[in-house]
Amino acid sequence: MSPDLKADAQFAFNQYRTGAVTDPYSVLDAHRLFAVELLCDDLVTADDVRESIHGLIAVLNIVTDYRKTHPTNTVLSEEV
C-alpha cells in the first residue's frame, strides 16, 4: 500500500480515536475521497484503495464497539 494512503488512513483513525472527530462516517468519507484522488492520479491501485478502506472500516468498528461498552473511556491506543 502507498505510504500516502497508509498515512491518511492512520490520520483518519487517530482523528476518530482521540475524539477530534466524533462521526466515524466523516473520517471514512474524508479518507475515501483522498484514496479516490490518488487512484485517479494513478498513484495507487484499486486493490490498494479497497484494502485501505476496508482496514479503516475494521478499526473504526473496533473503536465504536469499544465505546459502546466503555462510554467513559473515549481514547484508545490502537493503530491502523
Side-chain angles (χ1 to χ4, degrees):
M1 180 183 327
S2 137
D4 289 337
L5 196 56
K6 185 173 178 136
D8 189 70
Q10 183 68 47
F11 177 76
F13 171 71
N14 284 332
Q15 290 292 298
Y16 183 64
R17 180 185 61 81
T18 62
V21 178
T22 58
D23 180 16
Y25 296 107
S26 294
V27 295
L28 184 60
D29 280 345
H31 178 64
R32 180 184 53 81
L33 290 173
F34 179 73
V36 169
E37 286 179 23
L38 292 178
L39 181 63
C40 289
D41 291 340
D42 288 330
L43 299 174
V44 296
T45 66
D47 288 337
D48 290 337
V49 171
R50 187 177 308 110
E51 177 186 347
S52 179
I53 291 173
H54 284 237
L56 184 56
I57 289 170
V59 296
L60 288 173
N61 282 336
I62 290 168
V63 173
T64 302
D65 290 345
Y66 182 86
R67 286 184 180 166
K68 287 178 184 174
T69 59
H70 301 87
T72 58
N73 186 4
T74 59
V75 178
L76 300 176
S77 61
E78 296 185 35
E79 293 187 13
V80 174

